[in-house]
Amino acid sequence: LFQIWHEDVLDDPKLCLKRLHKYLELDATDKERIEWLEREDFPNGKANVKRVKQSSQWEKGLNFGDENDEINKILEPCFKHYQNRKSD
């Protein structure tokens, strides 16, 4: 299973794409990866600043109303895995 986190894509899209290609056993040069990322709105292979800001604002507004505590409890294992992802 290949796991990828949205924040990691925004932090280093080219590295994430390189890891995905390795997982899928696909060959590509860094130049090809950057060209693909640029077609997907990652200028120079980097995250689009406007989209990062938009994503951050969206995440801050995420609210499950009266079910926030229940949702957070359900997602707790995911949060822990996310926090430990750099050491995986």
Side-chain angles (χ1 to χ4, degrees):
L1 178 66
F2 182 80
Q3 294 182 12
I4 191 164
W5 295 90
H6 180 247
E7 291 81 358
D8 294 335
V9 171
L10 295 179
D11 184 47
D12 195 340
K14 190 171 78 171
L15 178 61
C16 289
L17 185 58
K18 187 174 186 173
R19 288 178 177 162
L20 177 63
H21 284 165
K22 182 178 179 182
Y23 176 79
L24 296 173
E25 298 179 359
L26 298 173
D27 291 325
T29 65
D30 281 346
K31 182 181 176 190
E32 290 170 326
R33 288 186 187 100
I34 289 172
E35 289 172 357
W36 186 87
L37 287 165
E38 286 177 339
R39 286 193 303 270
E40 298 299 323
D41 199 20
F42 287 84
N44 296 318
K46 308 238 185 265
N48 183 318
V49 175
K50 289 190 298 186
R51 289 186 185 255
V52 172
K53 184 178 178 183
Q54 180 184 34
S55 176
S56 177
Q57 289 173 342
W58 180 84
E59 289 171 7
K60 289 177 186 173
L62 195 58
N63 186 329
F64 298 102
D66 294 342
E67 298 174 350
N68 265 342
D69 291 341
E70 184 178 351
I71 298 295
N72 285 334
K73 187 175 179 180
I74 292 168
L75 295 176
E76 189 173 333
C78 294
F79 297 147
K80 286 181 181 177
H81 184 72
Y82 170 77
Q83 291 170 346
N84 296 325
R85 75 193 185 287
K86 298 287 182 174
S87 62
D88 290 347

